């Protein structure tokens, strides 16, 4: 999994990282306490040009946002 991290958010004493997986164009969240290992990638980092996280989480409790 090649992941481009953009944003960290804490909810319910757990940390989540939001970013993009190279295989999908949608926003993905990963729970940091579930990650088993991390390594460097030769893939070029993709900057966030799509999401404004203050607006994205404006009316949300938690970390799950329905795209609709």
């Amino acid at each position: 999994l090649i992941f481009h991290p953009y944003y960290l958010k804490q909810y319910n004493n757990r940390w989540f990282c939001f970013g993009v997986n190279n295989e999908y164009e949608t926003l993905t969240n990963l729970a940091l306490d579930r990650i088993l290992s991390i390594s460097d990638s030769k893939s070029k980092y993709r900057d966030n040009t799509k999401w404004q996280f203050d607006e994205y989480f404006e009316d949300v409790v938690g970390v799950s946002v329905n795209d609709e």
Side-chain angles (χ1 to χ4, degrees), residues 36-49:
L36 300 177
S37 67
I38 296 175
S39 62
D40 290 335
S41 170
K42 298 199 186 286
S43 179
K44 185 177 179 195
Y45 180 75
R46 291 171 39 188
D47 287 328
N48 175 22
T49 59

Side-chain angles (χ1 to χ4, degrees), residues 14-61:
R14 293 181 71 197
W15 284 93
F16 297 85
C17 184
F18 289 80
V20 172
N21 176 344
N22 258 9
E23 296 180 26
Y24 307 104
E25 292 299 318
T26 59
L27 192 64
T28 302
N29 71 19
L30 301 176
L32 294 185
D33 62 334
R34 304 287 172 96
I35 295 174
L36 300 177
S37 67
I38 296 175
S39 62
D40 290 335
S41 170
K42 298 199 186 286
S43 179
K44 185 177 179 195
Y45 180 75
R46 291 171 39 188
D47 287 328
N48 175 22
T49 59
K50 190 172 181 179
W51 294 278
Q52 298 295 325
F53 289 101
D54 289 339
E55 293 175 15
Y56 187 79
F57 290 112
E58 187 173 44
D59 298 320
V60 176
V61 175

